[in-house]
Amino acid sequence: MKLLRAMREPLKYVQGKGALLRFKDEMGYMGSRWLFVCSKSGYKACHDQIEESFADSDDVRQWEIFGGVSSKGEIARMRELVEEHEIDTVVAAGGGSAIDTAKATAHYTGTHIVAIPTVAATDAPCTGLSVIYNDDGSFDKYLFYPTNPDAVMVDSQVIANAPVRFLIAGMGDALGTYFEGRSSLRTESPSLEGTGITRAGMALAKLCYETLRDYGSQAIVACENNVVTPALDAIVEANVYLSGVGADNVNCAAAHSFYNGLTALGGHSAPHGCCVAFGTLVQLVLEGAPQDEFDDVQDFCLEVGLPVTLEQLGISSDDQVHTIARNACVPGETIHNLAGDVTPDELYASIVAADSMGKKALGD
Ligand SMILES: [Zn+2]
């Protein structure tokens, strides 16, 4: 049966400098009993402003620092708190793991969910899924939800105060969105949510790339100085909303498979978004993209400090490249959303070529 096209996104998205001071105004319709699931840094970045937004309200506010990983044990602990305090809305404040924990907690307890990312590094806030880990830290599964979060709130000043490397990694993750979506649409592959790809989804993915090109460098300067400018706001929206909603409604392809293949090496430390950025260059080679387009993406990486060579990702041996290529092509990987049946051999060739063009660009 032909796939139905569908569009998924958070019901409400709020962004801007000082947004947290309006938390209660914007989210108050979701109830009066709140559980805040925070990373340590998320708590520091958000607690005072959110509390201020409640003024003299007598709403119940339960603040909880979670264990750092979106594990089954942590989710069970949060579920107990929801029941004990008769919570209406679970609020995540932190990075991807805090958000994934809170999303799962809200899903299992039938409560509302608000995601407040305190770094703009991942797609977790806007998407309708969580990555769940076992209590020993190993990967368990993707948990898919019937809807996306009720609301996402981003305070641009919080993002400006966070280390710039998170913003750069977020741009790397966002860089793949358009190119991966385009390949998935060419083959009429399903979206990340398993539905047909909409024109709306593709339009967001395209705008994501255009926004990165237009404002990436300026946003870095703003973040380095801990100030909010229109350029930083544009990149926050690209990293959090356009990339997250975009990816959810289009799909991943070779760039994310390159990352997954790389995780098979074990012990690597390059951030997800940096691997996806180089993976995007690899994908363009694999697809036979014209030189102009490859140069455009590579120039962007050079401009904002995303990797263009394997060495910059800490990969040094030919064996490692073969391992990545093999693992990136296992059945079920999103690389198969590309036209044709990509083989490890073809991917290996593209990785080597992309790396070599990177070395040339760096003048090595
Ligand atoms: Zn990603």
Side-chain angles (χ1 to χ4, degrees):
M1 203 162 55
K2 204 159 166 34
L3 286 172
L4 295 174
R5 297 185 196 278
M7 190 67 197
R8 299 255 312 242
E9 61 213 320
L11 278 173
K12 186 168 189 175
Y13 179 82
V14 183
Q15 180 193 312
K17 183 179 158 91
L20 296 180
L21 293 168
R22 310 231 291 266
F23 178 85
K24 168 72 174 167
D25 288 349
E26 292 288 341
M27 307 300 165
Y29 68 93
M30 286 186 226
S32 59
R33 305 180 71 86
W34 309 83
L35 171 65
F36 294 90
V37 178
C38 309
S39 63
K40 275 198 196 103
S41 57
Y43 178 90
K44 256 198 239 152
C46 299
H47 173 270
D48 292 0
Q49 293 104 297
I50 291 178
E51 278 297 314
E52 203 179 321
S53 82
F54 280 93
D56 50 11
S57 150
D58 56 6
D59 281 14
V60 170
R61 280 104 71 188
Q62 186 70 30
W63 289 83
E64 219 29 67
I65 308 280
F66 91 115
V69 179
S70 49
S71 64
K72 292 171 172 172
E74 275 302 305
I75 293 163
R77 192 164 76 80
M78 295 304 152
R79 284 174 73 169
E80 276 170 29
L81 288 170
V82 167
E83 265 134 45
E84 186 186 329
H85 299 282
E86 298 173 359
I87 295 297
D88 299 316
T89 304
V90 180
V91 184
S97 303
I99 292 170
D100 278 347
T101 303
K103 283 191 327 193
T105 305
H107 171 68
Y108 288 128
T109 54
T111 46
H112 292 292
I113 169 75
V114 180
I116 301 178
T118 53
V119 291
T122 77
D123 284 342
C126 288
T127 54
L129 63 108
S130 287
V131 189
I132 306 295
Y133 297 89
N134 296 307
D135 291 335
D136 66 4
S138 62
F139 173 80
D140 175 31
K141 62 179 174 195
Y142 292 111
L143 180 58
F144 287 90
Y145 307 122
T147 60
N148 291 41
D150 293 276
V152 175
M153 178 174 251
V154 200
D155 192 320
S156 311
Q157 188 62 56
V158 169
I159 304 297
N161 293 344
V164 71
R165 65 173 192 278
F166 290 117
L167 192 75
I168 295 172
M171 286 196 263
D173 201 14
L175 184 60
T177 308
Y178 167 62
F179 299 101
E180 296 187 279
R182 188 177 69 177
S183 329
S184 302
L185 183 62
R186 273 179 189 152
T187 54
E188 283 284 353
S189 302
S191 73
L192 211 50
E193 296 289 352
T195 63
I197 296 172
T198 56
R199 297 171 62 81
M202 267 320 293
L204 293 184
K206 184 140 191 270
L207 181 60
C208 184
Y209 180 58
E210 290 165 359
T211 306
L212 292 176
R213 292 299 279 120
D214 289 346
Y215 297 108
S217 301
Q218 284 189 57
I220 288 176
V221 174
C223 189
E224 282 168 348
N225 290 283
N226 306 127
V227 293
V228 178
T229 59
L232 180 71
D233 251 327
I235 290 300
V236 171
E237 189 181 331
N239 284 11
V240 178
Y241 188 86
L242 298 174
S243 174
V245 178
D248 221 17
N249 289 284
V250 294
N251 203 335
C252 302
H256 272 80
S257 289
F258 173 81
Y259 168 77
N260 290 340
L262 198 147
T263 60
L265 296 177
H268 80 103
S269 59
H272 171 77
C274 294
C275 301
V276 172
F278 183 74
T280 303
L281 294 169
V282 171
Q283 179 178 318
L284 290 172
V285 175
L286 189 59
E287 292 180 306
Q291 189 68 39
D292 281 1
E293 188 170 67
F294 181 89
D295 287 348
D296 204 43
V297 177
Q298 191 190 53
D299 285 349
F300 173 75
C301 292
L302 292 166
E303 228 174 271
V304 301
L306 283 164
V308 295
T309 65
L310 289 168
E311 194 189 337
Q312 290 174 311
L313 290 173
I315 297 156
S316 50
S317 81
D318 201 46
D319 270 0
Q320 288 177 311
V321 181
H322 279 294
T323 305
I324 295 171
R326 228 181 9 257
N327 283 287
C329 291
V330 298
E333 264 303 332
T334 52
I335 197 167
H336 302 297
N337 291 335
L338 257 57
D341 216 1
V342 179
T343 62
D345 193 46
E346 288 165 340
L347 179 58
Y348 171 83
S350 302
I351 297 172
V352 169
D355 175 53
S356 179
M357 286 193 271
K359 285 181 186 152
K360 269 197 187 148
L362 291 175
D364 291 0

